[in-house]
Amino acid sequence: MKDPRIVAMLMAAAAGLCAAPLAGAQGPAQAPAGKALFLRNCAACHQASGKGIPGAFPALAGNPLVQGPAPEVASVLLQGRGGMPDFSASLSDEDIAAVLSFARGAWGNKAPPLAGEEVGTLRTRLGVPQYANGRMSNKH
């Protein structure tokens, strides 16, 4: 049985993956990695355009949380929030920093990038287990 809402969300996600390239505000080495990580891990829900899917997945473009204090937005990726899973076991501190730096500088967002060390410090402070580094995980 097919739910038309799910089909519509999947079609919108696929269309979002085909959107035009986006520019990030991080350094040259981090920008391509952050964008690639975003497209692989986040765009299906939040869309390549950063506009999300209304009523299902929030927009990241213009989002005050995304542009707010780095620890607040990083904790979402480390611990999850609402229906969003955490990425603590599947993304390294450097990967989380890169994807957040991309999102904080794309789509007109104007927030400073993060460093992997900042994410690592927050991971320790929150008591989130260290990155699995390739070990099997059932999260994604």
Side-chain angles (χ1 to χ4, degrees):
M1 178 159 115
K2 293 183 182 178
D3 182 336
R5 294 173 295 173
I6 293 173
V7 173
M9 283 191 298
L10 290 174
M11 289 176 60
L17 289 173
C18 298
L22 305 169
Q26 58 274 24
Q30 196 179 31
K35 180 179 179 179
L37 285 164
F38 179 86
L39 291 173
R40 186 170 46 244
N41 293 283
C42 313
C45 297
H46 297 288
Q47 304 299 286
S49 65
K51 293 182 180 177
I53 299 174
F57 305 107
L60 302 180
N63 187 309
L65 175 68
V66 173
Q67 298 180 80
E72 290 181 26
V73 69
S75 69
V76 173
L77 270 70
L78 288 170
Q79 296 180 308
R81 179 177 174 184
M84 183 172 152
D86 74 79
F87 288 85
S88 63
S90 57
L91 294 177
S92 70
D93 296 341
E94 291 75 22
D95 288 346
I96 290 173
V99 75
L100 286 175
S101 294
F102 171 76
R104 288 165 62 85
W107 319 296
N109 290 343
K110 296 186 184 335
L114 282 78
E117 295 81 22
E118 291 176 87
V119 177
T121 299
L122 180 62
R123 181 188 292 266
T124 301
R125 192 176 84 213
L126 294 173
V128 175
Q130 291 301 309
Y131 168 57
N133 198 19
R135 291 183 295 213
M136 296 297 285
S137 169
N138 65 353
K139 300 238 180 199
H140 306 287

